[in-house]
Amino acid sequence: FAFNEEEVLGVSPPDDAAVVVVATAPEECAASAEAAPESGRQDEGCSPLLAYVHDARVLDLSYCGIFGPKIGQLVAEFLQSDAGRELTHLDFTGDCLNSEATAVIATSLKDNATVTYLNMANNCISVDGAVQIAACLQVNTALARLDLSGNSIGVEGVRHLTESLVTNKALTYLNLSYNSLGAAGADIVANFLKKSANITHLDVEGNRIGDEGAKCIACCLDENNTLTDLNMSHNNICDTGAGNLAESLRRCQSLTQLDLSHNKIGAKGAAFIADSLKVNSALTHLSLSANPLGAEGVCDVAGGLVNSVVTHVNLSSTSLLPISAFPA
């Protein structure tokens, strides 16, 4: 157990949280999972542990070696019990949740009015799991932060999720990083953002959306007045995509943080972005780290910052060599 640890989830615990509980499975749980992966014994360590948890605000079961279909049912029962009535943060990171376990958890959260943060990152959630989560989001009115990074929901999965979020008025934070969305998935997300009036933080890192996907996202920024924080790092975005984003930044007055690190933006793309900074009056945080900007690109960005409102810019690990010096 850990008490009042902000590191538990990477976010601050609830303001009125007297105790933050981190549940970690006994060592024998992982051993039983390895010894009998098909028997369901891998879930046994969770049940007695939850029996000791009372009035918890944060329940962290991440990377604890508990996995399989029974974990969903155990947590669902815990949420409906008196012991789980105060729970606001729930973390299943890295627990190999399959579609069956995801379905049970999602169903249990449909009418839950206390859990505001759900982390299901780095699991085995595919389209079927995304469908179940989408069904939950259609009726849940409490969940504000959802992390589905590092799964395999793909294009069809994100289609179901965004369709359910059109009518959802609670969710403001959505992490879809590393979910094999591609340009097609980025287009679906972009169309959703045109209709959304709630999402303030969106993370699509590592989805290989490329210039085509970047263009889709850029187009939606003109019609979205809510999004403030956008992470598009690790997406193979080149100068063309950077140009499209820069054009939207000239008119977008809601976005305050933009992460374009670890892409393939060169001097030309840097010049586009630099010009947009001269007229944008909202963006305060910009990351272009680990891009082949070249010395010319770095100078252009520096010039664009002179009369901008940007207060934090990250150019670390930026190569001063021109993009032509790197293999295609």
Side-chain angles (χ1 to χ4, degrees):
F1 295 89
F3 300 91
N4 292 327
E5 292 283 355
E6 182 171 342
E7 291 80 5
V8 169
L9 293 175
V11 295
S12 300
D15 293 337
D16 59 347
V19 178
V20 175
V21 179
V22 183
T24 304
E27 292 181 1
E28 60 267 21
C29 178
S32 65
E34 184 176 353
E38 301 299 330
S39 68
R41 290 175 56 204
Q42 61 265 42
D43 298 304
E44 292 176 359
C46 188
S47 184
L49 185 144
L50 290 180
Y52 287 96
V53 178
H54 299 285
D55 298 327
R57 304 296 173 84
V58 175
L59 182 59
D60 188 336
L61 293 168
S62 60
Y63 297 106
C64 64
I66 303 175
F67 57 95
K70 281 185 62 180
I71 186 174
Q73 188 60 44
L74 289 171
V75 174
E77 292 173 0
F78 176 73
L79 286 171
Q80 295 172 0
S81 69
D82 290 340
R85 67 182 183 275
E86 300 291 337
L87 198 67
T88 60
H89 290 51
L90 190 55
D91 195 332
F92 294 104
T93 303
D95 284 328
C96 299
L97 296 180
N98 57 17
S99 296
E100 184 179 352
T102 301
V104 176
I105 294 170
T107 300
S108 70
L109 289 173
K110 282 185 177 181
D111 56 357
N112 181 280
T114 61
V115 176
T116 59
Y117 180 101
L118 176 62
N119 191 339
M120 303 182 83
N122 300 335
N123 278 288
C124 305
I125 302 173
S126 58
V127 177
D128 291 341
V131 169
Q132 298 299 326
I133 295 170
C136 169
L137 293 173
Q138 285 183 324
V139 294
N140 180 281
T141 59
L143 198 62
R145 296 170 63 95
L146 176 61
D147 190 338
L148 292 173
S149 60
N151 283 290
S152 303
I153 66 173
V155 176
E156 286 305 309
V158 80
R159 188 188 308 278
H160 287 286
L161 284 172
T162 53
E163 286 175 354
S164 70
L165 286 173
V166 171
T167 56
N168 182 291
K169 304 301 180 184
L171 199 74
T172 60
Y173 173 105
L174 181 60
N175 190 337
L176 296 171
S177 61
Y178 295 97
N179 264 289
S180 304
L181 301 185
D187 186 38
I188 293 172
V189 171
N191 286 326
F192 158 67
L193 288 176
K194 292 178 182 179
K195 308 169 187 175
S196 171
N198 301 296
I199 299 296
T200 60
H201 177 109
L202 176 65
D203 193 332
V204 291
E205 176 184 353
N207 277 294
R208 295 183 177 275
I209 68 174
D211 285 343
E212 184 181 350
K215 181 179 180 179
C216 295
I217 299 291
C219 290
C220 83
L221 294 179
D222 290 339
E223 301 181 41
N224 182 288
N225 298 315
T226 308
L227 192 66
T228 60
D229 190 340
L230 177 60
N231 184 354
M232 299 177 69
S233 60
H234 291 271
N235 266 303
N236 293 333
I237 299 172
C238 301
D239 289 340
T240 301
N244 289 319
L245 288 166
E247 186 61 31
S248 290
L249 285 177
R250 289 177 172 273
R251 297 180 296 274
C252 178
Q253 298 304 320
S254 63
L255 199 66
T256 60
Q257 300 187 55
L258 177 61
D259 189 344
L260 292 173
S261 62
H262 294 271
N263 280 295
K264 299 179 180 179
I265 301 171
K268 187 176 180 180
F272 290 143
I273 293 173
D275 285 341
S276 71
L277 296 180
K278 298 174 183 178
V279 295
N280 180 284
S281 60
L283 197 70
T284 58
H285 291 64
L286 173 66
S287 178
L288 290 169
S289 66
N291 276 285
L293 304 182
E296 181 182 353
V298 171
C299 289
D300 283 338
V301 171
L305 293 172
V306 174
N307 294 313
S308 76
V309 297
V310 176
T311 57
H312 295 75
V313 61
N314 187 351
L315 296 176
S316 63
S317 301
T318 299
S319 174
L320 297 182
L321 296 174
I323 194 170
S324 58
F326 295 85

